[in-house]
Amino acid sequence: MKAVVLAGGYATRLWPVTRHRPKMLLPVGETTVIDTILSQLEADDRIDDVFVSTNERFAEDFRDHVAETGFEKPQLSVEDTTDEDEKFGVVGALAQLVEREGIADEDLLVIAGDNLISFDVADFLDFFEEQSTPTLAAYDVGSREKAKSYGLVELDGDRVVDFQEKPDDPPSTLVSIACYAFPAESVRFGEYLADGNNPDEPGWFIQWLVEHSEVHAFTFDGAWFDIGTPESYLEAVEWALDGDSIVAQSATVEDTEIGENVHIMADATVHSADLDRSLVFPGATVADSTVRDSIIDSEATVHDLDLSGALIGSHSRISNGE
């Protein structure tokens, strides 16, 4: 079985933190978003190749990261785009990848690289093997307002009987989370696109597939985070740290109150500060400040401020009165 990890987005809602780095490489506790997925794929003997689908702008970042981690299965598959306006859409990019890598006759696992999930991918693949049909992972987001942003799943037992991508008035809160497994005969992206269908979100392909074949859903409890906004990123970090905080050995921290779910990274400097539920990236400086629910990017300097819900870009210098 082949696996595709979707990592081609530009994460504009997380700018400036993701303006020059892929959000899949953002730290979550002691690891990164994408490594939680890659480590499971590396350990599963059913997966023999992992294609990290990304764009030209971030290809070198992923190439360096994979080399540093020592994973053996991942390899880059790069789409010819450098900007959000040039993207082919997820389904369009998948169709190109399948053709480019020559894997049209293979069973295929597709998972979003910005998914932080509490279930084991191995359990999902066990379920897929039992059903022998296209399979999606489904989660109850608990809010009809949230459900409007995803693909809504209606089930009869484990079988998907209806799928609506981003409905205006969702009748339930069970949604698809961008984790799919397809038997080789269901890898029909080219056929789907040839019919003039939407090339963007994979949910449109699933909606089409439900009308053409039997589809099953693997439902799970626990946690799921779609890391696309500063708040969802902080929620994912909060879940991973579970009240603890991390201070890198090379960081300098003096006269500082560190609350829950704080991550101070390598070579950062923090003094005379009060931090809670925040991230201070490598080389950043926070002094004489209170920082809550905020992200201070690398090499930024924050002085004499009271910040809440702030997103400070790298190399910024901000102080009271400036």
Side-chain angles (χ1 to χ4, degrees):
M1 188 177 195
K2 310 298 184 186
V4 175
V5 180
L6 301 172
Y10 293 94
T12 55
R13 290 179 297 168
L14 271 164
W15 281 15
V17 173
T18 54
R19 191 177 185 93
H20 301 294
R21 70 161 68 85
K23 66 177 174 178
M24 296 81 181
L25 299 186
L26 290 172
V28 178
E30 297 284 10
T31 186
T32 67
V33 179
I34 199 170
D35 284 348
T36 60
I37 296 169
L38 294 180
S39 60
Q40 293 191 55
L41 300 181
E42 187 80 8
D44 198 310
D45 291 339
R46 290 168 291 192
I47 304 292
D48 48 14
D49 288 302
V50 176
F51 298 97
V52 179
S53 177
T54 189
N55 52 65
E56 287 187 335
R57 185 197 294 181
F58 292 137
E60 201 62 33
D61 296 274
F62 284 110
R63 189 172 289 112
D64 292 344
H65 182 76
V66 169
E68 290 171 4
T69 60
F71 291 132
E72 295 182 357
K73 293 180 183 179
Q75 54 188 288
L76 294 194
S77 189
V78 182
E79 63 181 54
D80 185 20
T81 70
T82 58
D83 188 83
E84 182 77 23
D85 294 337
E86 299 175 353
K87 282 180 62 61
F88 305 117
V90 176
V91 184
L94 277 170
Q96 291 195 10
L97 184 148
V98 167
E99 182 177 357
R100 183 167 61 243
E101 305 298 345
I103 57 173
D105 297 326
E106 303 275 359
D107 290 356
L108 191 64
L109 170 69
V110 178
I111 185 167
D114 57 358
N115 261 345
L116 191 62
I117 50 181
S118 60
F119 66 82
D120 290 333
V121 175
D123 293 337
F124 175 74
L125 292 180
D126 288 344
F127 181 84
F128 165 67
E129 289 183 337
E130 291 171 5
Q131 303 301 326
S132 298
T133 68
T135 300
L136 58 86
Y139 182 75
D140 189 341
V141 293
S143 160
R144 294 182 193 272
E145 190 61 34
K146 284 185 178 180
K148 291 179 181 180
S149 300
Y150 301 102
L152 196 75
V153 182
E154 182 181 341
L155 300 180
D156 180 4
D158 292 326
R159 183 178 179 182
V160 180
V161 294
D162 190 41
F163 189 100
Q164 300 176 48
E165 179 67 7
K166 294 181 173 61
D168 292 331
D169 186 21
S172 73
T173 55
L174 185 67
V175 305
S176 171
I177 69 155
C179 176
Y180 317 100
F182 304 104
E185 63 271 16
S186 296
V187 181
R188 301 167 61 183
F189 307 126
E191 177 187 349
Y192 166 85
L193 293 170
D195 286 345
N197 291 298
N198 193 318
D200 292 330
E201 299 299 331
W204 294 111
F205 174 70
I206 299 298
Q207 184 171 308
W208 176 85
L209 200 58
V210 168
E211 298 171 357
H212 290 76
S213 66
E214 191 170 329
V215 177
H216 284 86
F218 171 88
T219 55
F220 68 99
D221 298 318
W224 167 62
F225 300 95
D226 172 19
I227 298 174
T229 64
E231 182 57 31
S232 63
Y233 176 39
L234 287 172
E235 287 174 355
V237 171
E238 184 176 30
W239 175 75
L241 295 181
D242 193 25
D244 293 334
S245 291
I246 300 173
V247 179
Q249 275 193 324
S250 61
T252 301
V253 179
E254 299 173 341
D255 301 322
T256 291
E257 185 72 27
I258 298 177
E260 296 183 343
N261 306 308
V262 172
H263 190 174
I264 301 173
M265 302 177 207
D267 301 316
T269 300
V270 181
H271 59 85
S272 304
D274 185 350
L275 275 67
D276 192 66
R277 196 174 181 260
S278 295
L279 298 103
V280 182
F281 274 68
T285 298
V286 178
D288 303 302
S289 298
T290 298
V291 179
R292 305 189 187 284
D293 303 322
S294 297
I295 303 170
I296 314 299
D297 204 354
S298 57
E299 306 296 335
T301 298
V302 171
H303 179 258
D304 192 23
L305 288 173
D306 188 343
L307 297 179
S308 180
L311 191 62
I312 308 300
S314 64
H315 301 279
S316 300
R317 300 181 63 86
I318 307 175
S319 63
N320 193 18
E322 293 186 19

